Amino acid sequence: MRKLLITSISLIGITAFSQEHFAGLTTSNRVGVLSATNNPAELVNMSHTFEVGFYSLSANVSNNKIGINDLFSDSDLETILFTGNDPVNFRVDTEIYGPSFGMKYKKLAFAITTKITGKLDVVDVDPNLGDGLVNAGLNSLFGSTTISNDYNQRLSGTTWGEIGLTGALNIINNAKHKFNVGATFKLLFPGSYSNLGLDKFNGTITNDLGEVYLSDVNEVNINIAYSGGLADNFSNVNDYTKSLIGGLNGFSGDLGINYQWRDQPEDNPKKNQNKYKLNAGLSVRNIGSMTFKDDNNYATNYVLNIPSATIGNPGLNLNQFENVENLQEVEEILINEGYLGLDASRNKQDFTVKLPTTITAYADVKLIPKVFISGFLQQKLNENNGNDQITAQNIVTITPRFTTGFFEVFAPFSNTEIAGFSSGVGFRIGGFFLGSSSVITALASDNSKQADIYTGF
């Protein structure tokens, strides 16, 4: 378990941090296929009749414990991670868009996009339990700690691929107002999945000179599920790349509307493209789910019971989890110790995982010629604690922007549910872009808990 968790933590150092992908770019008045991934209705506003996307990459992590200064110091990351009383949360989230194509014709627009997503989620892990599993209770060298949670703790990894088919229609288009609707239908190709869930965990952790024991556990529900490459180990990068995508086994969709309060139109229609005082949109994204059907599929619910410690039987020795690398080994240890009871069939089975459905709202306002400011809001609709749920975050972002059309520079200011405030900067030259929603905060504050990068052409 130590390897399983700490290798996950090490991904913070090699990936970037945050949660909103392409912050400040998808609300630009230079509209392309990437803008339609935020709101499909934007596709009718595409700046060119045709657009080809070669690649787009956004990699990020958001956490509530480890700061930038901790990554570049001699501090012990696993000790810092499990200090205090707040549950541990961090997310590693990467999106890679492959070839894409969009076109518009009169009042219609169409696009096809390809994407691969990889996620690692640590959700509400109790720091005392994590300290016992990972650090052998080093944060409390002697004595006992009682744990009692009323929520589900999770450690989960997921990879999948998508092919998106987008259509958009212009409903109103006159000198003052423009109104569009759009929808995206996605074909989902689930690749790998792994989940460990501990619901309403309770118990006592006792540290006896480095030997750490768990006892007094009553009716704790445990979910163990895995599929594809992440059955072996979901904390190593190689295991994510073994099976990024599988067969077609899921569908999802996005719905969106878009409104423009237009500027006084010019004689040249091309120069008038996306000339507005206000551009606003509302979308519901990722409505759907996918089913994992790999040959090594496994999904089981257990009940964990460990009696009170007695002389000669102090409970479950947590030190034996130190070198565990996958959930199968966790399961074998608990079964062999005799503390794990079945709550469902142990047979291999298909299982379904919900996508992170969100509501997205934004508005882009022209302050003076060439200077805009946009506001972006993302609200998740599902709770992250469910074992069958891929996670999302609530986000608020404000982005001032200077644009000449061909060139654009912007500075996102974001507040994410887990890591809090961050600020960054990005630019676009023609079709090439590079940015970060947190590089300024990372450079200015040693305690910043996020950093990210995105680029594309």
Side-chain angles (χ1 to χ4, degrees), residues 16 41 51 69 71 73 80 207 216 224 231 233 237 288 338 428 435 455:
E51 179 173 286
N69 59 324
L71 295 176
S73 70
I80 295 172
N207 191 330
D216 295 323
I224 296 178
N233 188 331
V237 174
R428 177 186 58 79
T455 184

Side-chain angles (χ1 to χ4, degrees), residues 41 43-46 104-108 169-181 258-266 269-270 272-276 279:
L43 197 63
V44 184
N45 299 330
M46 204 162 56
K104 61 181 181 179
Y105 177 72
K106 296 183 179 180
K107 294 186 175 183
L108 298 173
L169 173 66
N170 172 242
I171 304 296
I172 299 173
N173 189 6
N174 56 44
K176 289 296 183 181
H177 307 286
K178 186 177 183 181
F179 182 77
N180 309 320
V181 297
N258 168 251
Y259 167 76
Q260 286 186 4
W261 177 23
R262 311 186 75 175
D263 252 344
Q264 186 68 31
E266 300 179 15
K270 291 184 178 180
N272 189 43
Q273 178 66 29
N274 293 329
K275 298 284 186 178
Y276 55 74
N279 183 62

Side-chain angles (χ1 to χ4, degrees), residues 15 71 124 134 143 145 161 163 225 255-256 267 294 326 334 381 393 399 428 441:
T15 318
L71 295 176
D124 290 336
V134 175
T145 302
I163 296 178
L255 300 172
D267 294 335
D294 197 81
N326 58 58
L334 293 175
L381 296 183
Q393 283 198 64
T399 306
R428 177 186 58 79
T441 312

